[in-house]
Amino acid sequence: MFFLRELEREITLHPSFFGPRTKEYLTTRLHEDVEGSCNGQYYIITVLDAVSISEGRVVPGSGVAEYTIHYRAVVWRPFKGETVDAVVSSVNRMGVFADVGPLPVFVSSHLIPSEIKWDPNATPPQYTDNGEQTIEKGTHLRIKLIGTRSDVGSMFAIGSVKEDFLGVEFMRRSHRTWEIRNIE
């Protein structure tokens, strides 16, 4: 789920960057440092704006200045039970690894419908029902997150495609384009 959060970051600045464009440089550096990062609880998608930039404090002994920046950012925090769209990154007999943006998700073979079986003879490796449902690298899946795990700078999730309206078939249906005709 996406949220708008007010966050704080301290940035140190070398004296060679002091001058009339200091605030512009700090804002650029903020974008480079935090956009796309993960703090273990959420991913920072984008920085909207810098709300306030403090006066710089010179760090004794080094000459660098330390600035505190308060900013607003759009963040994404995955929740247990959330339904997400993913792209399969690898497939093996244990299950499927998929990416939901920056979040890696593992779908165990036990959490894939029983009619979709591992095909050890297929190239590329895949799960298939020998019909229209095939899960291989690059396949788009609709996954329900069963749980998430956080580390210091990353997150991981476990997902399922075993429930209704999940998996390959429902991704195909939702991406169809419908032709609209004028009835005369």
Side-chain angles (χ1 to χ4, degrees):
M1 190 172 296
F2 292 92
F3 297 97
L4 180 63
R5 296 216 32 183
E6 283 204 23
L7 303 168
E8 180 180 302
R9 174 102 175 171
E10 287 190 2
I11 295 180
T12 56
L13 195 59
H14 190 269
S16 64
F17 295 103
F18 296 165
R21 303 178 101 195
T22 301
K23 292 195 189 268
E24 181 182 319
Y25 179 75
L26 286 168
T27 305
T28 303
R29 178 105 177 265
L30 174 70
H31 284 271
E32 291 171 355
D33 288 352
V34 301
E35 284 184 348
S37 66
C38 177
N39 71 353
Q41 294 178 355
Y42 50 80
Y43 291 95
I44 298 175
I45 304 300
T46 188
V47 174
L48 295 177
D49 59 355
V51 176
S52 67
I53 300 174
S54 71
E55 293 293 321
R57 290 187 336 257
V58 176
V59 177
S62 67
V64 299
E66 190 174 78
Y67 293 86
T68 302
I69 302 176
H70 292 273
Y71 62 97
R72 292 184 319 145
V74 175
V75 300
W76 177 57
R77 181 173 181 207
F79 286 100
K80 179 180 176 179
E82 184 175 2
T83 301
V84 293
D85 293 338
V87 178
V88 175
S89 57
S90 69
V91 178
N92 62 38
R93 67 179 185 84
M94 300 302 291
V96 175
F97 290 92
D99 295 321
V100 180
L103 178 71
V105 179
F106 177 69
V107 180
S108 170
S109 59
H110 300 291
L111 298 171
I112 296 174
S114 58
E115 65 269 7
I116 301 176
K117 304 275 187 208
W118 167 248
D119 185 359
N121 300 321
T123 303
Q126 63 185 338
Y127 283 86
T128 184
D129 66 352
N130 294 322
E132 65 178 48
Q133 292 191 64
T134 302
I135 301 173
E136 61 188 17
K137 184 177 181 178
T139 302
H140 293 264
L141 287 177
R142 183 154 293 147
I143 298 173
K144 181 177 182 180
L145 300 180
I146 292 178
T148 60
R149 186 185 86 202
S150 299
D151 286 340
V152 175
S154 62
M155 295 177 73
F156 305 97
I158 303 293
S160 171
V161 293
K162 205 168 188 172
E163 297 179 21
D164 291 338
F165 306 107
L166 299 177
V168 181
E169 182 179 343
F170 293 98
M171 282 298 293
R172 281 196 205 114
R173 286 184 189 168
S174 66
H175 289 296
R176 287 184 183 157
T177 56
W178 300 98
E179 183 179 331
I180 300 173
R181 297 181 189 173
N182 291 330
I183 300 174
E184 295 179 22

